[in-house]
Amino acid sequence: MSTPVDLADYQHQLGPVLIGRGTTVDIRAIEGLGQVALRSSDVEPPGEDGLWLGPDYYGGRTVRIDAAVKNSGNSAAVLDTVALLQDASDTAAVRGQAGTTLDLRVKFPGRPARVLRGRLRKFEPDLTTLKHGYVPLDLEFQTADHRYYADTSDSTSMPLGGLTEGGVTFPLQMPFTIEGDPSAVGRPGYIQVDGSAPTWPVIRVNGPCANPIITHVTSGRTLTVQTTMTAGEWVEIDTRPGWRTVLRENGGSVPLAPTSRIDQFVLTPGLNEIRWSATDNTLTSTLAVTWWPAYKAL
């Protein structure tokens, strides 16, 4: 994964294109960075005053950007910038399948860069004043959820098991079934999650092993993968909203046990504990967890 470009205050990035301060794309206003629309379940009780308040669910965030491309006397350069912005969302990687998104990075004073994941839903240049090197732009960016994410991901990797000072007893019987021990040196399985909102991880199990079970000890949620992997093979569980996939290295899908709730396997801000177990004849399989700290507000 490439390192993101450092952004100055009031400088933003839509896909690969820098906009805002210090660029030829002047931003006059950005709307939609506050509370998003709610899907409520409120009910008016019959025969009495008041309201029965049901659960509230947030929709996606619609970010509206009022901008203009400025390059006095150079119409070709203006159109080149317009084309770059339009091309950013017109790729198979963005719109070629369900769940794929484009990043909108925003940077404001007093905060590091934050990332919104979504797609460009409106791109309307006004070419009336193109001959003057000035083209107003009306942009709408629709996010997949209401959260802001950290600019870079955090990750950790843990072996299948750790040996404590107690050692092992011989003879050993194959195959081994080892459970991760967070009390081992380095306390594998304990991760500190930054942010102010829950976030969904991407989990990769690297073989050789069979039927791995991953448990989020903090909540008790468990994911049981029903497959066998040889050395060099892996299974990736993407729990993020809009994705929710369990795929092998060859792109094939893998079943989870019926009791596995991928939508509820979430990391919470603060200390989290992950444990996992599997059947492994070699004790060389590993588990990797990657997550993006999430924030409720900028």
Side-chain angles (χ1 to χ4, degrees), residues 122-225:
K122 184 177 182 181
F123 183 87
E124 191 61 46
D126 181 356
L127 303 183
T128 305
T129 54
L130 173 61
K131 64 180 180 180
H132 302 299
Y134 180 83
V135 172
L137 288 175
D138 186 7
L139 308 177
E140 283 191 2
F141 186 84
Q142 179 64 56
T143 67
D145 63 73
H146 64 285
R147 294 174 179 82
Y148 300 94
Y149 291 93
D151 213 15
T152 56
S153 62
D154 292 325
S155 63
T156 188
S157 180
M158 61 193 78
L160 182 57
L163 299 181
T164 65
E165 64 275 7
V168 294
T169 302
F170 290 89
L172 298 176
Q173 183 175 357
M174 299 289 187
F176 300 116
T177 299
I178 306 293
E179 292 193 1
D181 180 10
S183 65
V185 176
R187 297 179 70 81
Y190 281 87
I191 57 178
Q192 182 68 33
V193 177
D194 296 331
S196 59
T199 189
W200 282 265
V202 177
I203 302 167
R204 178 175 291 194
V205 181
N206 299 287
C209 64
N211 301 320
I213 302 173
I214 304 105
T215 301
H216 182 247
V217 178
T218 314
S219 65
R221 298 294 180 187
T222 297
L223 300 175
T224 302
V225 186

Side-chain angles (χ1 to χ4, degrees), residues 53-109:
L53 299 177
D56 292 336
Y57 298 97
Y58 288 121
R61 183 182 300 280
T62 301
V63 180
R64 292 170 293 276
I65 303 176
D66 181 8
V69 183
K70 297 180 178 180
N71 198 325
S72 181
N74 194 338
S75 299
V78 170
L79 288 177
D80 287 343
T81 301
V82 171
L84 283 174
L85 286 167
Q86 191 167 3
D87 289 345
S89 63
D90 190 9
T91 67
V94 174
R95 65 183 185 90
Q97 58 181 310
T100 51
T101 57
L102 180 72
D103 284 353
L104 172 62
R105 301 173 63 218
V106 296
K107 176 68 173 73
F108 293 99

